Amino acid sequence: MRTTRAVPLLLATLLAATACGAQVEGADAAATTTVPRCAQPVEYREPQNAVAYEGGSADKLFALGLADKVRGYVMPPANPPVTESPWAEDYASVEMLSDDLLNRELVVDAGADLVVAGWRSGFSDERGITPELLDRLGIQSFMHTETCWNYPGFPERVTPIEGLYEDLRRLGDIFRVPERADAVVADMQARVAAVEAAAPRLDPPPSVFLYDSGTDRPNSAANQVPPNDIIRLAGGRNILDDVDGRWTDVGWETVVERQPEIIMILDYGDQSAQEKIDFLKSLPTLRSVPAVQNDNFFVLDYNEGISGPRNIDGLERFGGYLREFSR
């Protein structure tokens, strides 16, 4: 795990109060703390038995040193093995509650007092597990800010990387470790700034298409998910940065029309990254695409592509790739 630089306590406290909008209710700081859940102010008790859905959620808690406050995690099969995580020891110290999707019965049975997930990525109207329902059960919930852009009633729109910083600050307030959160965020910001400073200044920026999955219609990244920021901050341009959404299906004709110079492969699931590359290279439709013609493929790990601390690792790796890229 990467160590973080210390932040002076006074500065960290001021940053937590101003950047997150947290307010301690009453004189007793251990009572409740008001922190936004998307754009909705929510009073949080300090959690002792948090449940995290997917690697990004658990990684955020572990990056803040909160393993002792985590009851367990839910890890669907698409997520790469937790043994590959920088926080593998923390994962080993808590229970894996399920390898399926998040559901109400699971969190109730686990005795969870906080559930960390994304809107429509963990929380779901269709599956009957929403923040509102958990509120009625007395179970607190926290949603990734990156997923809040279309949250009903309380939308909040930020860039995905800013959403990552905001999540860490807000979780730091909820768990009463704001100075720790500010130190982690400061380290991330410094790493991002270093990538931006070293980014190539090509005109136009290298165009990038992210391939997630799909045969008849590919699933890709629009402008509300971390890969869009990874591509942008490293000096490239997502060919779907004009699509207002998260993970989205497009037509192959759109990919051909926009002529990406690089194809970013999201690596997860039963189909390996190399199998995805081989599939794309086999498609007659894509023969005119520069990325295919020049064999320009970059592999992004699943947990580098969903909201979590490993976004910064993915950014640093893609930044290095773009610095070696030439037309």
Side-chain angles (χ1 to χ4, degrees):
M1 179 178 173
R2 186 182 296 269
T3 58
T4 55
R5 293 184 294 277
V7 176
L9 181 59
L10 176 59
L11 177 59
T13 303
L14 290 172
L15 283 173
T18 57
C20 305
Q23 299 174 3
V24 176
E25 304 299 330
D28 184 3
T32 63
T33 302
T34 301
V35 177
R37 183 177 66 193
C38 292
Q40 179 183 16
V42 173
E43 292 185 15
Y44 286 93
R45 305 174 305 278
E46 182 180 354
Q48 303 296 323
N49 293 291
V51 168
Y53 177 73
E54 276 200 308
S57 300
D59 285 359
K60 288 173 185 178
L61 297 173
F62 295 149
L64 294 174
L66 296 171
D68 61 330
K69 307 289 187 182
V70 177
R71 168 66 179 84
Y73 60 90
V74 177
M75 201 66 69
N79 203 98
V82 298
T83 52
E84 298 176 4
S85 169
W87 296 279
E89 291 184 6
D90 289 322
Y91 279 102
S93 73
V94 302
E95 184 180 355
M96 180 174 176
L97 300 171
S98 174
D99 61 358
D100 202 348
L101 300 176
L102 193 65
N103 64 73
R104 177 179 57 186
E105 291 75 16
L106 184 150
V107 300
V108 170
D109 290 346
D113 58 7
L114 177 74
V115 180
V116 181
W119 175 242
R120 302 194 66 81
S121 176
F123 296 120
S124 166
D125 279 319
E126 292 80 4
R127 286 185 287 104
I129 180 165
T130 64
E132 291 77 12
L133 182 143
L134 293 179
D135 286 344
R136 294 196 292 272
L137 296 175
I139 301 173
Q140 304 178 118
S141 60
F142 178 87
M143 281 189 292
H144 303 306
T145 309
E146 169 252 342
T147 68
C148 290
W149 71 284
N150 64 347
Y151 179 59
F154 300 95
E156 181 178 16
R157 189 184 185 100
V158 297
T159 63
I161 292 295
E162 288 297 328
L164 170 62
Y165 301 154
E166 195 65 19
D167 287 347
L168 291 165
R169 293 185 183 114
R170 291 177 181 182
L171 287 167
D173 284 328
I174 290 169
F175 284 90
R176 316 307 197 257
V177 289
E179 67 283 355
R180 200 181 302 169
D182 280 315
V184 172
V185 171
D187 179 73
M188 289 181 174
Q189 290 173 322
R191 293 167 62 192
V192 170
V195 173
E196 287 189 280
R201 301 292 187 264
L202 298 178
D203 186 19
S207 54
V208 184
F209 166 65
L210 181 140
Y211 178 67
D212 177 308
S213 59
T215 54
D216 295 337
R217 286 173 60 83
N219 186 261
S220 188
N223 60 19
Q224 293 296 308
V225 287
N228 189 72
D229 275 4
I230 288 173
I231 294 166
R232 175 179 60 83
L233 293 167
R237 183 185 63 80
N238 177 10
I239 66 167
L240 299 179
D241 65 358
D242 61 337
V243 177
D244 209 24
R246 301 187 69 241
W247 303 101
T248 186
D249 289 341
V250 298
W252 289 115
E253 62 275 9
T254 299
V255 180
V256 174
E257 287 169 3
R258 301 194 177 190
Q259 293 284 288
E261 298 170 278
I262 299 165
I263 295 178
M264 178 179 282
I265 303 292
L266 191 63
D267 187 17
Y268 73 100
D270 294 333
Q271 188 180 28
S272 71
Q274 187 57 54
E275 288 172 330
K276 290 182 180 182
I277 292 170
D278 292 343
F279 166 70
L280 295 175
K281 292 169 75 171
S282 74
L283 287 179
T285 308
L286 298 185
R287 285 176 183 165
S288 66
V289 170
V292 174
Q293 291 180 341
N294 299 315
D295 201 29
N296 287 330
F297 294 92
F298 176 86
V299 178
L300 187 73
D301 182 79
Y302 182 79
N303 282 297
E304 294 173 341
I306 64 172
S307 181
R310 283 183 266 180
N311 292 158
I312 313 303
D313 299 327
L315 171 62
E316 289 174 330
R317 291 198 309 105
F318 189 60
Y321 178 88
L322 278 192
R323 289 193 294 275
E324 299 297 322
F325 173 80
S326 61
R327 289 190 165 102

